[in-house]
Amino acid sequence: MDLKTFELLARYNVWSTHKLNQVMKNISNDDFNANHGLYFKSIAGTLNHLLVGEHYLWFPRFLAKPSPVLKLNTIIENDKDKLISQLEDKAHNWIDFLKDVDVEKFKYDLQYKTSTGKDMKLPYAATLLHVFNHGTHHRGQITAALTSMGYLCPEIDLVYMLIEENQPT
């Protein structure tokens, strides 16, 4: 893994979060909060999980700061618009993080305490890859739920971001 790959994934995370959030703004609160059989039940629950995982747990760990004790299904924000806004705003933190990251760390382990207080050591680069892959996984679950309800979802495959980025201006 190299820095350019992570920069691409961070841009994709921002782009796909934004694209999906455009749809989220237009769905009913009932559809947003209904149990759709997702791992975190609702779209609201899944988006809160992304907020918890990516931004409240993993981000501080990569900054070598303690992460809070939070369950993965913690509801941080009940208001749909505020939740969507937080996810979109916080996605940019990863881009900023990568501007200053010491790439030498990619060769070593990330040491942190889990949300249950257990000491953990995992490969730094692979764990950072997990953070971005995790978001992709859950956005896919959400788009499946939206499609099953009849909402039109954007194409959020990475290749569509690349096509957009490479369009003449």
Side-chain angles (χ1 to χ4, degrees):
M1 297 284 150
D2 65 3
L3 181 59
K4 291 287 183 205
T5 300
F6 288 117
E7 289 171 337
L8 170 67
L9 293 173
R11 282 194 334 270
Y12 172 66
N13 187 46
V14 168
W15 178 86
S16 58
T17 297
H18 174 75
K19 291 282 188 183
L20 189 57
N21 283 348
Q22 295 310 299
V23 175
M24 295 292 113
K25 291 176 183 177
N26 297 315
I27 71 170
S28 71
N29 283 332
D30 287 345
D31 287 344
F32 189 72
N33 292 298
N35 185 339
H36 297 289
L38 303 175
Y39 190 83
F40 293 95
K41 300 187 179 12
S42 65
I43 293 170
T46 303
L47 290 176
N48 268 283
H49 169 69
L50 285 173
L51 187 62
V52 167
E54 288 179 24
H55 306 293
Y56 283 84
L57 296 178
W58 285 115
F59 194 72
R61 293 171 183 168
F62 279 96
L63 294 177
K65 295 181 178 180
S67 58
V69 175
L70 286 173
K71 292 183 178 181
L72 296 176
N73 64 348
T74 298
I75 302 299
I76 299 287
E77 183 57 67
N78 283 308
D79 181 272
K80 178 177 73 168
D81 294 330
K82 289 179 183 175
L83 175 57
I84 289 167
S85 179
Q86 276 195 59
L87 284 165
E88 201 150 332
D89 291 345
K90 290 180 182 297
H92 292 275
N93 290 341
W94 290 103
I95 290 175
D96 294 337
F97 166 77
L98 290 169
K99 288 177 184 174
D100 296 322
V101 72
D102 177 1
V103 295
E104 284 298 308
K105 291 181 178 182
F106 293 176
K107 300 176 190 174
Y108 302 103
D109 289 330
L110 174 70
Q111 296 182 334
Y112 64 95
K113 284 194 183 293
T114 66
S115 57
T116 61
K118 180 181 173 187
D119 287 326
M120 186 65 66
K121 181 168 68 168
L122 295 172
Y124 191 99
T127 306
L128 185 56
L129 179 61
H130 159 75
V131 172
F132 296 117
N133 187 58
H134 176 261
T136 302
H137 164 70
H138 286 298
R139 283 188 298 271
Q141 290 178 323
I142 291 167
T143 59
L146 290 168
T147 301
S148 73
M149 290 184 285
Y151 290 98
L152 186 60
C153 288
E155 292 284 352
I156 57 172
D157 288 339
L158 174 64
V159 72
Y160 290 104
M161 182 194 78
L162 296 173
I163 290 168
E164 243 182 57
E165 287 182 344
N166 288 287
Q167 292 297 317
T169 53

